[in-house]
Amino acid sequence: MFRNWRIGSVNGALLAAYFIPAWTLVAFNIMVSPVHGLYERPSVAVALFLSDQLQMSGIGTVRAAWLLALGRLTVVAFFAIYLALLAIPRTRKSGGSDEALGIALAIGSLISFASMMMASKVGEMAALRLHATELLLLLGAAIVLVIERPAMAPQTAEVPAPLALEQAELLHNS
């Protein structure tokens, strides 16, 4: 059953197992209560940066919180699509699910990198460690995805079919 699994497939599935519940919970908390959800540990650096550095108003902070929740849910959706495509053996063998994983890794890395930079700017060390760890997980998976290509199908040499008895062998018929 596990003979045709690549390292990138297993790595992507493990990442999805972490990011889907963690980021869904964070996004759900932001959707339910935008300001309270934004000031929880996974998003506190973004909240402090928006309020201290950019001096956003309350409604601007709420809009930024919803935008962050939308970005996190987009990453979760692409990880879920990746897992659904990974369940199909033909797609898994050919690497057809790698595109969904690549999009999830790109958007997730962008969110984690921006959050990490905001955490370092406001001096929130716990959030900085969290976002740096998430960024390293995503970048490591991206490197594995780029380096490991799907196995190529064995190519067979085409042998010309023998001529039927009714066909004449002419010069233009080769």
Side-chain angles (χ1 to χ4, degrees):
M1 177 178 168
F2 291 107
R3 278 183 255 163
N4 57 7
W5 282 72
R6 301 173 311 158
I7 291 176
S9 300
V10 174
N11 189 16
L14 288 174
L15 276 179
Y18 167 74
F19 279 100
I20 288 176
W23 281 26
T24 302
L25 186 63
V26 171
F28 181 72
N29 288 339
I30 291 174
M31 287 187 303
V32 169
S33 176
V35 175
H36 180 68
L38 192 62
Y39 278 95
E40 290 181 357
R41 179 169 295 200
S43 305
V44 71
V46 176
L48 291 175
F49 183 82
L50 292 176
S51 65
D52 293 349
Q53 303 292 326
L54 300 181
Q55 298 173 354
M56 281 191 154
S57 65
I59 194 70
T61 304
V62 168
R63 287 180 182 153
W66 284 339
L67 188 61
L68 179 64
L70 179 66
R72 286 180 182 255
L73 285 178
T74 303
V75 172
V76 167
F78 277 109
F79 272 125
I81 291 169
Y82 171 72
L83 287 179
L85 290 173
L86 201 62
I88 304 168
R90 185 178 67 228
T91 308
R92 182 179 57 246
K93 288 177 193 174
S94 68
S97 58
D98 290 347
E99 186 174 344
L101 179 62
I103 293 171
L105 293 175
I107 297 171
S109 296
L110 184 67
I111 291 171
S112 290
F113 181 74
S115 298
M116 183 184 71
M117 295 308 290
M118 290 178 198
S120 71
K121 189 76 172 173
V122 297
E124 186 64 38
M125 286 300 120
L128 178 68
R129 283 191 288 274
L130 172 70
H131 297 304
T133 303
E134 288 178 346
L135 181 63
L136 286 174
L137 285 171
L138 293 167
L139 290 178
I143 290 170
V144 169
L145 184 68
V146 167
I147 291 176
E148 181 189 43
R149 297 278 70 334
M152 301 299 291
Q155 296 180 353
T156 57
E158 291 186 28
V159 177
L163 296 174
L165 294 177
E166 295 85 27
Q167 286 182 318
E169 188 172 339
L170 302 174
L171 291 176
H172 70 278
N173 203 12
S174 56

